[in-house]
Amino acid sequence: MQRFRRLRRDERIRSMMQETRLHPKDFIYPLFVIEGQNITNSVDSMPGIYQYSIDRLPRILDRIKQVEIGGVMLFGIPQHKDAQGSQAYAKDGITQRAVRFIRENYPEIYVVVDICLCEYTSHGHCGVVCGTEVLNDETLPLLGKMALSLVEAGADMIAPSDMMDGRVEALRTILDQAGFPHTPIMAYSAKFASAYYGPFRDAAGSAPKFGDRKSYQMDIANGREALRELAADIEEGADIVMVKPALAYLDILKEASCRFDIPLAVYNVSGEYAMVKAAAANGWIDEKRVVLENLTAMKRAGAKLIITYHALDAANWL
Ligand code: PBG
Ligand code: ZN
């Protein structure tokens, strides 16, 4: 008889046999930065997550520094939105100022910036629009300006989440020409048009005012197409490629890890977080065990990096 239980007899041997181990450095913590002063707004649908004005950032940055997670991913919430999303690439935009603040005061924290227009456009779409159409090629130069201004402000890595075609190549070219050949690109490559982004859109104020994102984000049913998106971004020069959301798409993450040698990231998105927090608040699940189980599943499926709102809790639990 095969006795699998020999290696499960007690904690000493179980921990030796563990195939997947989480580490705080696996985690990137998303951070929402809002214009203004003395602001720490809680986000109703995401308990424990806040929008911070720059002067309040030290509250959270001190904790981030202490737990030694991999880094942060910044999302800016501007006061002023327009059709072109001009605050996304303003020299003194909220995100640019936040990057400079972190660079000056927390040089040890690795800063990733999300590159997309939806938090900055009055219509809430990820690119510029003409009528009801989200234009692809016209959006690329704006993403380029956004990326460059944030890298100039001191961002360590850029993460385009817009899902326009050709943006990785466009961004790589712009950064290289501007003297930033060493800045990596983490592409949201297999990003699905998911209902799990709902709470994020409350947190970032980025819900589209008309229509939906299905003309640029992927159909949730398409696994084979996801592999083509990943391959295309690798071809265009991405350094890390991402699957998003996480839990409902672990099949794609696993397939990608079998097929590609490039580092993989996964985004454990707002709706996934909200569900866990809601069930935990009701006493229906053991939050710590469920969170660590979910994160372990993401790493087991092949993720090198996990972008997660649980990052600080999880780092403390490990
Ligand atoms: C912006 C962006 C979104 C998320 C990350 N970057 C929202 C969207 O595409 O609508 C979602 C993150 C989350 O749900 O936690 N394009
Ligand atoms: Zn967007």
Side-chain angles (χ1 to χ4, degrees):
M1 194 186 352
Q2 287 204 57
R3 291 195 181 273
F4 293 102
R5 294 182 55 188
R6 282 186 201 117
L7 301 182
R8 293 176 198 155
R9 271 177 72 79
D10 66 39
E11 189 50 36
R12 294 169 306 158
I13 183 68
R14 281 198 295 271
S15 64
M16 257 189 278
M17 289 300 109
Q18 198 160 64
E19 296 176 31
T20 308
R21 279 203 184 96
L22 292 169
H23 189 278
K25 293 285 178 198
D26 300 333
F27 306 139
I28 293 181
Y29 185 66
L31 206 48
F32 299 102
V33 188
I34 192 165
E35 208 117 32
Q37 278 193 332
N38 287 322
I39 301 173
T40 323
N41 287 336
S42 57
V43 179
D44 286 347
S45 51
M46 301 178 73
I49 300 297
Y50 300 84
Q51 302 170 327
Y52 298 92
S53 54
I54 290 176
D55 60 306
R56 291 285 183 90
L57 278 177
R59 293 183 175 203
I60 188 77
L61 293 171
D62 288 342
R63 288 179 58 204
I64 288 165
K65 188 168 135 180
Q66 191 208 327
V67 296
E68 298 190 331
I69 57 171
V72 296
M73 171 119 92
L74 283 189
F75 295 93
I77 306 159
Q79 210 147 50
H80 171 73
K81 304 189 188 213
D82 57 35
Q84 308 290 314
S86 58
Q87 283 303 305
Y89 39 89
K91 276 242 162 355
D92 250 345
I94 178 65
T95 321
Q96 286 77 2
R97 278 184 282 132
V99 169
R100 272 185 229 114
F101 178 84
I102 301 175
R103 205 52 325 129
E104 279 163 28
N105 299 287
Y106 296 85
E108 58 278 88
I109 295 181
Y110 196 86
V111 179
V112 184
V113 286
D114 183 271
I115 302 296
C116 194
L117 298 183
C118 57
E119 292 119 72
Y120 306 88
T121 50
S122 41
H123 44 71
H125 277 288
C126 302
V128 287
V129 304
C130 179
T132 57
E133 175 132 9
V134 178
L135 304 175
N136 194 89
D137 298 11
E138 291 76 356
T139 299
L140 300 180
L142 303 187
L143 296 171
K145 288 208 287 187
M146 179 179 186
L148 188 55
S149 67
L150 290 165
V151 170
E152 280 170 349
D156 291 297
M157 179 189 281
I158 63 166
S161 70
D162 53 283
M163 288 298 280
M164 298 300 122
D165 290 318
R167 88 264 208 223
V168 173
E169 187 175 20
L171 292 171
R172 186 71 273 158
T173 304
I174 284 167
L175 291 185
D176 288 353
Q177 282 172 354
F180 297 103
H182 304 302
T183 304
I185 300 178
M186 173 163 66
Y188 288 68
S189 303
K191 178 174 177 179
F192 291 87
S194 169
Y196 282 102
Y197 307 152
F200 172 93
R201 293 178 190 172
D202 298 336
S206 65
K209 296 280 183 310
F210 65 87
D212 53 39
R213 303 211 198 288
K214 289 182 182 166
S215 77
Y216 41 106
Q217 297 181 352
M218 288 192 57
D219 190 315
I220 59 166
N222 295 1
R224 284 161 52 79
E225 187 187 357
L227 296 168
R228 293 179 62 216
E229 282 276 9
L230 290 156
D233 283 356
I234 295 167
E235 183 74 18
E236 288 183 35
D239 300 280
I240 302 171
V241 289
M242 191 197 299
V243 174
K244 179 190 172 191
L247 291 173
Y249 300 86
L250 291 186
D251 56 328
I252 289 158
L253 186 61
K254 179 67 187 177
E255 182 88 33
S257 81
C258 294
R259 223 178 258 220
F260 307 116
D261 297 330
I262 190 171
L264 297 171
V266 70
Y267 200 138
N268 178 207
V269 301
S270 57
E272 298 174 313
Y273 176 84
M275 292 195 303
V276 169
K277 295 299 274 191
N282 277 291
W284 296 337
I285 57 168
D286 178 332
E287 179 175 358
K288 174 178 167 181
R289 289 186 58 205
V290 166
V291 167
L292 294 177
E293 187 170 333
N294 285 349
L295 297 174
T296 300
M298 293 168 208
K299 192 161 176 182
R300 195 187 63 230
K304 182 79 201 74
L305 287 176
I306 304 172
I307 299 147
T308 179
Y309 304 97
H310 298 292
L312 301 186
D313 290 335
N316 279 321
W317 292 331
L318 293 174

